[in-house]
Amino acid sequence: MLTNWGVAAAGLAAAIGLSVGQPPPSIPNIPIIPEPSGPVQPPSSSDPKPGGGAGGVEFPTRTQLQLKVERDGLLTVEETITVRSGEKLNRRSPLRIKSGEMDRVFVVRDPKLEGNGSAQATADEFTVSVGEGKSVLRYQVDGAVIDLGDRQEVRWQLAAGWDAHLSLLRATFIAPEIPISVRCNGGPYGTERPCRRARTDNAGVTRVDVPDLSAGDRVDLAVGLPLGTVPANAKLVEPEKGTGPFALTSFSGFGLLGLTVLLLGGIVLLWVARGRDAKVLATDVGPVDVLVHDKDGVAFASPDGVLPGQIGTVTDERVDPVDITATVLDLAVRNYLWIQEISQDDWQIVRRNPADDALTAYERAVYEAIPEQGGTVSTLSVDMDRIKDAMYTDVAQREWFKRRPDQERTRWMAVGIGLAFIGAGLTAVLALTVGNALLGLAVVIAGVALALGARLMPARTKRGSVLLAQVRSLRGYLQSATPSSIPENDRELVFSRSLPYAVVLGESPRWLEAFASSGELYWFSGGRNLPGFITAMDRALAK
């Protein structure tokens, strides 16, 4: 009996409070969300007591809200937050919420916190920080009321973004008119789990009880009111451009600018180095006579003493089969090897004289690739890795390149691929955490560009560019020299010494045709099918 009188008295008091300054509202049939069987249990005698003290402890961390819709449409909120001793509670609530294809913007006005903590609101976020004990937070919300067809709806998130467990959330809601519907969802973001207890009593007071809220859970309350109850003030705006993890922010913008400057700086340095070569190649260099005349006759002398294999590597920055073929011919011309035609499509190569200190490391590697007892082109087995390693080392030691071309390309390609993978990982981490994922994408692009541009990295030194100009002069000589310009007694030697250079520079067809009637050669026996030998050697070395 006393309980029934108490409920009636509470309802009467609430009705009187609502009726102040307005005519008594009519009470329609109200849809009620049923609560679970059994009444809400009050704290038992074993529950902690507020304030602690002798023989008792504090309440567990909890919050209690009182919400009231004012006649001007503002939502007034008073929240009492109790934090147990030694703990701290923080809240970061977004004020821009996705609503269909639009964003709904809430404005928190004049937040004030009495007690142990602080509260502030920006255009995008509502933050609260409270320490142990009891604190009271008061604020107003603009934008909570929206017209939806034949009714209004007042919406606010009673809890959102708390960083610790709440043992209980309780809330009451009143408005100038009695609610016609109540919708309450709780739990983690993205869930639509109804609150366990949310109902409107006969006096028009909506009550919500949500126990055991985990850190980060939200409680979203939406109360329906008759249309025209208060002025609607909901703010719906177009979604902000670029608000996702790949948004162009000031931070990501500066990062992209820095990476762009570094990338452009590298391109400029490479352009300067490559531009030196381009200038050489664009210069009109006429044929240069590389013949040395003395009292004993005429002899061939390559520019700066460069060898055929070296020319090929310096010119295209790679060791190709033709570079080794030219080296085999040069060793034969210099009497280290002997070449003999044994059939229309095969030749035998034998060692003629032992290797000495006049040979470079890569020439010795080519020489030792020929078996001591000799071998044929068709059965030749060459350790190409050893030859390439020695030749790349040779051109770097002679300072035509700052570093070995092969290692330079491989190094920059590895750096580029590694950078691309790092950028991909960075993109994923940024996208899932703090945003600014464009920085990660920029690193990916830089890595891919570096990997693709690795083949351009081994730019020649200034000395290498000078040699490139001399090679152009040598090519001019090979394109213009004729047998008649060489004394007959020196013709075979000049032709032979020049042939390896003609082979490596792609001028062998013209050179062989010009000197086709020069007779037998001192280093090649069994015919003059030199084009066939050159082709067979290139094919054998390319296997």
Side-chain angles (χ1 to χ4, degrees):
M1 175 69 76
L2 291 176
T3 301
N4 293 336
W5 276 106
V7 172
L12 179 60
I16 293 172
L18 287 172
S19 63
V20 175
Q22 64 177 355
S26 59
I27 301 178
N29 293 326
I30 303 172
I32 302 297
I33 298 179
E35 62 175 319
S37 61
V40 178
Q41 297 296 326
S44 68
S45 59
S46 61
D47 284 343
K49 300 177 181 178
V57 293
E58 296 171 308
F59 275 124
T61 300
R62 57 193 291 171
T63 181
Q64 183 167 341
L65 300 94
Q66 296 178 359
L67 297 92
K68 178 183 178 182
V69 180
E70 305 290 349
R71 289 190 172 277
D72 60 2
L74 290 178
L75 177 66
T76 300
V77 182
E78 180 178 301
E79 183 171 2
T80 302
I81 306 166
T82 304
V83 180
R84 64 183 305 147
S85 178
E87 294 184 355
K88 191 174 183 180
L89 198 59
N90 300 290
R91 172 179 179 176
R92 300 176 67 92
S93 303
L95 296 179
R96 179 184 286 263
I97 300 174
K98 190 71 175 176
S99 178
E101 297 183 356
M102 305 291 284
D103 282 355
R104 185 168 178 180
V105 179
F106 297 86
V107 178
V108 173
R109 294 184 179 178
D110 196 23
K112 293 179 180 179
L113 190 140
E114 298 176 3
N116 183 14
S118 62
Q120 62 179 354
T122 66
D124 298 317
E125 192 174 56
F126 182 32
T127 59
V128 181
S129 179
V130 290
E132 60 183 39
K134 180 180 291 186
S135 301
V136 178
L137 173 63
R138 297 181 178 89
Y139 57 91
Q140 288 186 317
V141 181
D142 187 6
V145 183
I146 188 172
D147 286 336
L148 297 176
D150 59 351
R151 62 187 177 91
Q152 286 185 328
E153 183 181 83
V154 182
R155 181 182 178 187
W156 182 240
Q157 293 195 344
L158 307 181
W162 288 113
D163 64 353
H165 173 266
L166 293 175
S167 63
L168 177 65
L169 179 146
R170 279 182 173 168
T172 60
F173 173 94
I174 60 175
E177 294 286 346
I178 294 178
I180 58 177
S181 66
V182 179
R183 176 171 53 85
C184 179
N185 293 322
Y189 277 97
T191 63
E192 296 295 334
R193 187 174 63 200
C195 301
R196 292 175 59 185
R197 299 180 180 95
R199 66 187 184 88
T200 300
D201 61 22
N202 291 333
V205 180
T206 300
R207 304 181 187 276
V208 177
D209 291 290
V210 182
D212 293 323
L213 280 174
S214 300
D217 282 2
R218 61 77 167 106
V219 176
D220 193 350
L221 177 66
V223 180
L225 298 174
L227 188 64
T229 299
V230 295
N233 54 17
K235 298 174 176 63
L236 297 176
V237 299
E238 293 284 345
E240 289 184 347
K241 300 295 184 181
T243 56
F246 294 93
L248 180 61
T249 65
S250 57
F251 180 79
S252 62
F254 280 115
L256 290 173
L257 181 62
L259 286 172
T260 302
V261 169
L262 288 177
L263 190 60
L264 290 177
I267 292 174
V268 169
L269 290 176
L270 187 60
W271 177 79
V272 170
R274 287 292 179 182
R276 185 170 51 234
D277 291 347
K279 185 177 180 180
V280 170
L281 294 174
T283 304
D284 186 14
V285 180
V288 175
D289 191 358
V290 294
L291 301 180
V292 177
H293 300 264
D294 57 23
K295 61 181 181 179
D296 296 325
V298 177
F300 173 86
S302 65
D304 199 24
V306 65
L307 298 169
Q310 294 169 338
I311 284 181
T313 306
V314 171
T315 301
D316 61 9
E317 302 168 355
R318 294 190 308 271
V319 177
D320 300 312
V322 67
D323 302 334
I324 303 174
T325 298
T327 300
V328 169
L329 289 171
D330 190 51
L331 291 175
V333 170
R334 290 156 57 195
N335 286 321
Y336 288 101
L337 300 176
W338 168 263
I339 303 172
Q340 182 174 5
E341 185 176 1
I342 58 176
S343 68
Q344 187 175 0
D345 55 1
D346 204 2
W347 293 259
Q348 186 177 36
I349 307 174
V350 298
R351 298 181 183 181
R352 192 170 193 176
N353 287 302
D356 54 28
D357 293 339
L359 297 183
T360 64
Y362 85 84
E363 287 180 313
R364 183 178 292 272
V366 174
Y367 176 87
E368 292 176 354
I370 307 301
E372 291 187 11
Q373 68 278 14
T376 62
V377 172
S378 60
T379 60
L380 194 62
S381 179
V382 178
D383 186 354
M384 292 292 291
D385 291 337
R386 179 190 172 192
I387 296 173
K388 288 182 177 181
D389 181 72
M391 193 171 288
Y392 284 129
T393 300
D394 183 83
V395 296
Q397 288 177 343
R398 295 176 186 273
E399 298 182 350
W400 291 320
F401 296 95
K402 188 175 182 180
R403 285 176 289 270
R404 288 178 42 151
D406 62 325
Q407 292 180 352
E408 188 81 341
R409 285 192 294 267
T410 303
R411 183 168 71 95
W412 283 109
M413 182 171 291
V415 170
I417 293 174
L419 195 63
F421 275 104
I422 291 173
L426 181 63
T427 301
V429 171
L430 291 176
L432 295 174
T433 55
V434 298
N436 294 309
L438 281 180
L439 289 177
L441 285 181
V443 175
V444 172
I445 294 172
V448 172
L450 194 58
L452 294 176
R455 60 187 183 86
L456 301 175
M457 291 301 177
R460 302 171 190 85
T461 62
K462 185 175 182 179
R463 183 178 177 182
S465 295
V466 171
L467 177 61
L468 197 64
Q470 294 172 338
V471 169
R472 288 195 66 204
S473 300
L474 175 59
R475 178 179 276 115
Y477 156 75
L478 295 171
Q479 292 173 342
S480 61
T482 60
S484 60
S485 63
I486 304 171
E488 186 175 353
N489 292 337
D490 301 320
R491 196 169 295 165
E492 180 184 4
L493 182 60
V494 170
F495 163 77
S496 298
R497 293 287 289 127
S498 303
L499 179 60
Y501 296 89
V503 169
V504 81
L505 292 174
E507 300 294 335
S508 59
R510 186 262 168 195
W511 193 251
L512 290 170
E513 182 180 358
F515 289 84
S517 60
S518 297
E520 289 294 325
L521 300 172
Y522 66 90
W523 52 272
F524 190 94
S525 176
R528 290 296 299 271
N529 187 14
L530 282 169
F533 171 76
I534 294 169
T535 301
M537 276 295 299
D538 287 344
R539 188 181 300 116
L541 293 169
K543 291 180 181 177

